[in-house]
mmCIF file of all heavy atoms in Angstrom:
data_model
loop_
_atom_site.group_PDB
_atom_site.id
_atom_site.type_symbol
_atom_site.label_atom_id
_atom_site.label_comp_id
_atom_site.label_asym_id
_atom_site.label_seq_id
_atom_site.Cartn_x
_atom_site.Cartn_y
_atom_site.Cartn_z
ATOM 1 N N ALA A 1 -3.622 -14.696 -41.428
ATOM 2 C CA ALA A 1 -2.673 -14.588 -40.309
ATOM 3 C C ALA A 1 -1.238 -14.492 -40.813
ATOM 4 O O ALA A 1 -0.399 -13.812 -40.215
ATOM 5 C CB ALA A 1 -2.827 -15.786 -39.375
ATOM 6 N N ASP A 2 -0.942 -15.151 -41.926
ATOM 7 C CA ASP A 2 0.398 -15.111 -42.519
ATOM 8 C C ASP A 2 0.645 -13.815 -43.284
ATOM 9 O O ASP A 2 1.763 -13.299 -43.299
ATOM 10 C CB ASP A 2 0.591 -16.286 -43.489
ATOM 11 C CG ASP A 2 0.897 -17.590 -42.769
ATOM 12 O OD1 ASP A 2 1.459 -17.538 -41.662
ATOM 13 O OD2 ASP A 2 0.564 -18.658 -43.315
ATOM 14 N N ARG A 3 -0.416 -13.279 -43.911
ATOM 15 C CA ARG A 3 -0.239 -12.172 -44.851
ATOM 16 C C ARG A 3 -0.675 -10.808 -44.315
ATOM 17 O O ARG A 3 -0.603 -9.820 -45.042
ATOM 18 C CB ARG A 3 -1.036 -12.466 -46.126
ATOM 19 C CG ARG A 3 -0.581 -13.667 -46.912
ATOM 20 C CD ARG A 3 -1.507 -13.894 -48.107
ATOM 21 N NE ARG A 3 -1.622 -12.693 -48.922
ATOM 22 C CZ ARG A 3 -2.608 -12.484 -49.799
ATOM 23 N NH1 ARG A 3 -3.580 -13.365 -49.926
ATOM 24 N NH2 ARG A 3 -2.644 -11.368 -50.510
ATOM 25 N N GLU A 4 -1.090 -10.715 -43.075
ATOM 26 C CA GLU A 4 -1.621 -9.455 -42.538
ATOM 27 C C GLU A 4 -0.686 -8.277 -42.850
ATOM 28 O O GLU A 4 0.475 -8.273 -42.481
ATOM 29 C CB GLU A 4 -1.815 -9.561 -41.026
ATOM 30 C CG GLU A 4 -2.426 -8.300 -40.414
ATOM 31 C CD GLU A 4 -2.484 -8.366 -38.898
ATOM 32 O OE1 GLU A 4 -1.607 -9.042 -38.298
ATOM 33 O OE2 GLU A 4 -3.376 -7.750 -38.306
ATOM 34 N N CYS A 5 -1.235 -7.278 -43.549
ATOM 35 C CA CYS A 5 -0.471 -6.077 -43.886
ATOM 36 C C CYS A 5 -1.447 -4.989 -44.315
ATOM 37 O O CYS A 5 -2.632 -5.247 -44.538
ATOM 38 C CB CYS A 5 0.545 -6.355 -45.010
ATOM 39 S SG CYS A 5 -0.216 -6.852 -46.569
ATOM 40 N N PHE A 6 -0.963 -3.773 -44.441
ATOM 41 C CA PHE A 6 -1.843 -2.647 -44.764
ATOM 42 C C PHE A 6 -2.515 -2.815 -46.118
ATOM 43 O O PHE A 6 -3.714 -2.574 -46.257
ATOM 44 C CB PHE A 6 -1.053 -1.333 -44.739
ATOM 45 C CG PHE A 6 -1.897 -0.143 -45.132
ATOM 46 C CD1 PHE A 6 -2.792 0.426 -44.232
ATOM 47 C CD2 PHE A 6 -1.804 0.393 -46.409
ATOM 48 C CE1 PHE A 6 -3.590 1.508 -44.595
ATOM 49 C CE2 PHE A 6 -2.592 1.483 -46.787
ATOM 50 C CZ PHE A 6 -3.477 2.039 -45.872
ATOM 51 N N SER A 7 -1.754 -3.217 -47.138
ATOM 52 C CA SER A 7 -2.318 -3.318 -48.482
ATOM 53 C C SER A 7 -3.445 -4.350 -48.542
ATOM 54 O O SER A 7 -4.478 -4.132 -49.187
ATOM 55 C CB SER A 7 -1.230 -3.668 -49.504
ATOM 56 O OG SER A 7 -0.602 -4.892 -49.171
ATOM 57 N N LEU A 8 -3.270 -5.477 -47.854
ATOM 58 C CA LEU A 8 -4.298 -6.509 -47.840
ATOM 59 C C LEU A 8 -5.525 -6.026 -47.063
ATOM 60 O O LEU A 8 -6.659 -6.230 -47.503
ATOM 61 C CB LEU A 8 -3.760 -7.792 -47.217
ATOM 62 C CG LEU A 8 -4.741 -8.962 -47.112
ATOM 63 C CD1 LEU A 8 -5.245 -9.372 -48.491
ATOM 64 C CD2 LEU A 8 -4.086 -10.154 -46.414
ATOM 65 N N ASP A 9 -5.307 -5.380 -45.920
ATOM 66 C CA ASP A 9 -6.422 -4.862 -45.134
ATOM 67 C C ASP A 9 -7.205 -3.816 -45.905
ATOM 68 O O ASP A 9 -8.439 -3.794 -45.884
ATOM 69 C CB ASP A 9 -5.906 -4.254 -43.821
ATOM 70 C CG ASP A 9 -5.508 -5.311 -42.812
ATOM 71 O OD1 ASP A 9 -5.767 -6.506 -43.070
ATOM 72 O OD2 ASP A 9 -4.948 -4.951 -41.763
ATOM 73 N N PHE A 10 -6.499 -2.942 -46.573
ATOM 74 C CA PHE A 10 -7.130 -1.889 -47.378
ATOM 75 C C PHE A 10 -8.011 -2.503 -48.460
ATOM 76 O O PHE A 10 -9.171 -2.105 -48.652
ATOM 77 C CB PHE A 10 -6.045 -1.007 -48.009
ATOM 78 C CG PHE A 10 -6.571 0.166 -48.781
ATOM 79 C CD1 PHE A 10 -6.808 1.377 -48.141
ATOM 80 C CD2 PHE A 10 -6.811 0.064 -50.137
ATOM 81 C CE1 PHE A 10 -7.293 2.469 -48.856
ATOM 82 C CE2 PHE A 10 -7.303 1.144 -50.861
ATOM 83 C CZ PHE A 10 -7.540 2.354 -50.217
ATOM 84 N N LYS A 11 -7.455 -3.490 -49.145
ATOM 85 C CA LYS A 11 -8.180 -4.169 -50.225
ATOM 86 C C LYS A 11 -9.423 -4.878 -49.695
ATOM 87 O O LYS A 11 -10.524 -4.723 -50.243
ATOM 88 C CB LYS A 11 -7.257 -5.171 -50.906
ATOM 89 C CG LYS A 11 -7.911 -6.000 -51.988
ATOM 90 C CD LYS A 11 -6.911 -6.999 -52.573
ATOM 91 C CE LYS A 11 -7.567 -7.895 -53.605
ATOM 92 N NZ LYS A 11 -6.605 -8.891 -54.169
ATOM 93 N N LEU A 12 -9.280 -5.634 -48.608
ATOM 94 C CA LEU A 12 -10.397 -6.390 -48.054
ATOM 95 C C LEU A 12 -11.487 -5.472 -47.505
ATOM 96 O O LEU A 12 -12.677 -5.759 -47.637
ATOM 97 C CB LEU A 12 -9.911 -7.333 -46.950
ATOM 98 C CG LEU A 12 -9.123 -8.553 -47.403
ATOM 99 C CD1 LEU A 12 -8.563 -9.301 -46.201
ATOM 100 C CD2 LEU A 12 -9.995 -9.480 -48.237
ATOM 101 N N PHE A 13 -11.086 -4.364 -46.903
ATOM 102 C CA PHE A 13 -12.044 -3.414 -46.335
ATOM 103 C C PHE A 13 -12.989 -2.903 -47.412
ATOM 104 O O PHE A 13 -14.214 -2.981 -47.279
ATOM 105 C CB PHE A 13 -11.295 -2.257 -45.673
ATOM 106 C CG PHE A 13 -12.188 -1.245 -45.022
ATOM 107 C CD1 PHE A 13 -12.675 -1.445 -43.739
ATOM 108 C CD2 PHE A 13 -12.554 -0.080 -45.681
ATOM 109 C CE1 PHE A 13 -13.504 -0.519 -43.128
ATOM 110 C CE2 PHE A 13 -13.378 0.855 -45.093
ATOM 111 C CZ PHE A 13 -13.854 0.644 -43.808
ATOM 112 N N PHE A 14 -12.433 -2.395 -48.491
ATOM 113 C CA PHE A 14 -13.272 -1.790 -49.525
ATOM 114 C C PHE A 14 -13.973 -2.825 -50.403
ATOM 115 O O PHE A 14 -15.145 -2.656 -50.755
ATOM 116 C CB PHE A 14 -12.444 -0.827 -50.384
ATOM 117 C CG PHE A 14 -12.112 0.448 -49.678
ATOM 118 C CD1 PHE A 14 -10.844 0.676 -49.188
ATOM 119 C CD2 PHE A 14 -13.092 1.413 -49.466
ATOM 120 C CE1 PHE A 14 -10.545 1.854 -48.511
ATOM 121 C CE2 PHE A 14 -12.805 2.586 -48.799
ATOM 122 C CZ PHE A 14 -11.539 2.810 -48.318
ATOM 123 N N LEU A 15 -13.302 -3.919 -50.736
ATOM 124 C CA LEU A 15 -13.953 -4.940 -51.557
ATOM 125 C C LEU A 15 -15.125 -5.576 -50.807
ATOM 126 O O LEU A 15 -16.162 -5.868 -51.411
ATOM 127 C CB LEU A 15 -12.942 -6.026 -51.952
ATOM 128 C CG LEU A 15 -11.914 -5.642 -53.012
ATOM 129 C CD1 LEU A 15 -10.970 -6.812 -53.281
ATOM 130 C CD2 LEU A 15 -12.588 -5.203 -54.307
ATOM 131 N N SER A 16 -14.974 -5.781 -49.511
ATOM 132 C CA SER A 16 -16.050 -6.371 -48.710
ATOM 133 C C SER A 16 -17.249 -5.442 -48.624
ATOM 134 O O SER A 16 -18.389 -5.890 -48.673
ATOM 135 C CB SER A 16 -15.545 -6.705 -47.299
ATOM 136 O OG SER A 16 -14.526 -7.669 -47.339
ATOM 137 N N ILE A 17 -16.986 -4.143 -48.513
ATOM 138 C CA ILE A 17 -18.079 -3.173 -48.463
ATOM 139 C C ILE A 17 -18.850 -3.193 -49.781
ATOM 140 O O ILE A 17 -20.091 -3.197 -49.800
ATOM 141 C CB ILE A 17 -17.540 -1.758 -48.171
ATOM 142 C CG1 ILE A 17 -17.109 -1.666 -46.706
ATOM 143 C CG2 ILE A 17 -18.603 -0.700 -48.461
ATOM 144 C CD1 ILE A 17 -16.476 -0.358 -46.327
ATOM 145 N N PHE A 18 -18.138 -3.214 -50.902
ATOM 146 C CA PHE A 18 -18.810 -3.280 -52.199
ATOM 147 C C PHE A 18 -19.619 -4.565 -52.331
ATOM 148 O O PHE A 18 -20.697 -4.587 -52.919
ATOM 149 C CB PHE A 18 -17.784 -3.177 -53.337
ATOM 150 C CG PHE A 18 -17.300 -1.782 -53.587
ATOM 151 C CD1 PHE A 18 -15.947 -1.474 -53.477
ATOM 152 C CD2 PHE A 18 -18.181 -0.762 -53.915
ATOM 153 C CE1 PHE A 18 -15.490 -0.186 -53.693
ATOM 154 C CE2 PHE A 18 -17.733 0.532 -54.142
ATOM 155 C CZ PHE A 18 -16.384 0.820 -54.031
ATOM 156 N N GLU A 19 -19.084 -5.645 -51.772
ATOM 157 C CA GLU A 19 -19.785 -6.935 -51.802
ATOM 158 C C GLU A 19 -21.103 -6.844 -51.031
ATOM 159 O O GLU A 19 -22.150 -7.327 -51.479
ATOM 160 C CB GLU A 19 -18.886 -8.011 -51.190
ATOM 161 C CG GLU A 19 -19.404 -9.438 -51.342
ATOM 162 C CD GLU A 19 -19.177 -9.995 -52.731
ATOM 163 O OE1 GLU A 19 -18.424 -9.387 -53.513
ATOM 164 O OE2 GLU A 19 -19.772 -11.035 -53.038
ATOM 165 N N VAL A 20 -21.051 -6.227 -49.854
ATOM 166 C CA VAL A 20 -22.255 -6.063 -49.027
ATOM 167 C C VAL A 20 -23.271 -5.176 -49.730
ATOM 168 O O VAL A 20 -24.472 -5.466 -49.741
ATOM 169 C CB VAL A 20 -21.883 -5.467 -47.646
ATOM 170 C CG1 VAL A 20 -23.147 -5.077 -46.871
ATOM 171 C CG2 VAL A 20 -21.078 -6.467 -46.839
ATOM 172 N N ILE A 21 -22.807 -4.100 -50.336
ATOM 173 C CA ILE A 21 -23.701 -3.187 -51.051
ATOM 174 C C ILE A 21 -24.397 -3.913 -52.195
ATOM 175 O O ILE A 21 -25.607 -3.773 -52.399
ATOM 176 C CB ILE A 21 -22.908 -1.978 -51.590
ATOM 177 C CG1 ILE A 21 -22.453 -1.093 -50.436
ATOM 178 C CG2 ILE A 21 -23.779 -1.165 -52.552
ATOM 179 C CD1 ILE A 21 -21.512 0.027 -50.846
ATOM 180 N N GLY A 22 -23.634 -4.724 -52.928
ATOM 181 C CA GLY A 22 -24.216 -5.486 -54.034
ATOM 182 C C GLY A 22 -25.288 -6.444 -53.553
ATOM 183 O O GLY A 22 -26.332 -6.599 -54.189
ATOM 184 N N GLU A 23 -25.047 -7.077 -52.427
ATOM 185 C CA GLU A 23 -26.012 -8.020 -51.862
ATOM 186 C C GLU A 23 -27.281 -7.296 -51.424
ATOM 187 O O GLU A 23 -28.390 -7.776 -51.639
ATOM 188 C CB GLU A 23 -25.379 -8.757 -50.684
ATOM 189 C CG GLU A 23 -26.235 -9.875 -50.129
ATOM 190 C CD GLU A 23 -25.502 -10.693 -49.077
ATOM 191 O OE1 GLU A 23 -24.452 -11.261 -49.412
ATOM 192 O OE2 GLU A 23 -25.990 -10.761 -47.937
ATOM 193 N N MET A 24 -27.125 -6.121 -50.812
ATOM 194 C CA MET A 24 -28.283 -5.361 -50.355
ATOM 195 C C MET A 24 -29.120 -4.885 -51.533
ATOM 196 O O MET A 24 -30.350 -4.940 -51.498
ATOM 197 C CB MET A 24 -27.828 -4.179 -49.498
ATOM 198 C CG MET A 24 -27.305 -4.568 -48.128
ATOM 199 S SD MET A 24 -27.114 -3.172 -47.013
ATOM 200 C CE MET A 24 -25.803 -2.269 -47.808
ATOM 201 N N ILE A 25 -28.464 -4.431 -52.585
ATOM 202 C CA ILE A 25 -29.182 -3.977 -53.777
ATOM 203 C C ILE A 25 -29.976 -5.131 -54.377
ATOM 204 O O ILE A 25 -31.116 -4.965 -54.817
ATOM 205 C CB ILE A 25 -28.195 -3.404 -54.813
ATOM 206 C CG1 ILE A 25 -27.603 -2.094 -54.290
ATOM 207 C CG2 ILE A 25 -28.899 -3.166 -56.148
ATOM 208 C CD1 ILE A 25 -26.515 -1.509 -55.175
ATOM 209 N N SER A 26 -29.379 -6.321 -54.373
ATOM 210 C CA SER A 26 -30.055 -7.508 -54.897
ATOM 211 C C SER A 26 -31.345 -7.788 -54.140
ATOM 212 O O SER A 26 -32.381 -8.112 -54.730
ATOM 213 C CB SER A 26 -29.112 -8.711 -54.805
ATOM 214 O OG SER A 26 -29.765 -9.905 -55.176
ATOM 215 N N TYR A 27 -31.291 -7.651 -52.799
ATOM 216 C CA TYR A 27 -32.490 -7.899 -51.988
ATOM 217 C C TYR A 27 -33.539 -6.823 -52.168
ATOM 218 O O TYR A 27 -34.736 -7.091 -52.104
ATOM 219 C CB TYR A 27 -32.104 -8.036 -50.510
ATOM 220 C CG TYR A 27 -31.731 -9.442 -50.162
ATOM 221 C CD1 TYR A 27 -30.407 -9.865 -50.287
ATOM 222 C CD2 TYR A 27 -32.683 -10.368 -49.758
ATOM 223 C CE1 TYR A 27 -30.050 -11.172 -49.999
ATOM 224 C CE2 TYR A 27 -32.329 -11.683 -49.467
ATOM 225 C CZ TYR A 27 -31.018 -12.068 -49.585
ATOM 226 O OH TYR A 27 -30.659 -13.359 -49.313
ATOM 227 N N VAL A 28 -33.116 -5.596 -52.402
ATOM 228 C CA VAL A 28 -34.071 -4.510 -52.647
ATOM 229 C C VAL A 28 -34.854 -4.803 -53.923
ATOM 230 O O VAL A 28 -36.061 -4.586 -54.004
ATOM 231 C CB VAL A 28 -33.347 -3.156 -52.759
ATOM 232 C CG1 VAL A 28 -34.294 -2.090 -53.289
ATOM 233 C CG2 VAL A 28 -32.824 -2.731 -51.402
ATOM 234 N N LYS A 29 -34.165 -5.316 -54.931
ATOM 235 C CA LYS A 29 -34.815 -5.621 -56.204
ATOM 236 C C LYS A 29 -35.813 -6.770 -56.064
ATOM 237 O O LYS A 29 -36.837 -6.808 -56.728
ATOM 238 C CB LYS A 29 -33.763 -5.990 -57.257
ATOM 239 C CG LYS A 29 -32.910 -4.811 -57.712
ATOM 240 C CD LYS A 29 -31.883 -5.260 -58.728
ATOM 241 C CE LYS A 29 -31.040 -4.089 -59.214
ATOM 242 N NZ LYS A 29 -30.013 -4.530 -60.193
#
């Protein structure tokens, strides 16, 4: 809430997606 800005949103959007992908790959294995 204090830091909301484009750069932070951009970073969180893509890093979170990679995190989800990694988790899904783990379950597939």
Side-chain angles (χ1 to χ4, degrees):
D2 281 332
R3 296 177 54 198
E4 183 186 30
C5 62
F6 177 78
S7 59
L8 179 60
D9 285 352
F10 184 89
K11 177 182 177 181
L12 287 173
F13 182 83
F14 286 105
L15 287 179
S16 297
I17 287 176
F18 282 121
E19 189 77 12
V20 171
I21 291 172
E23 187 173 301
M24 288 193 293
I25 291 174
S26 174
Y27 273 90
V28 168
K29 290 179 179 179

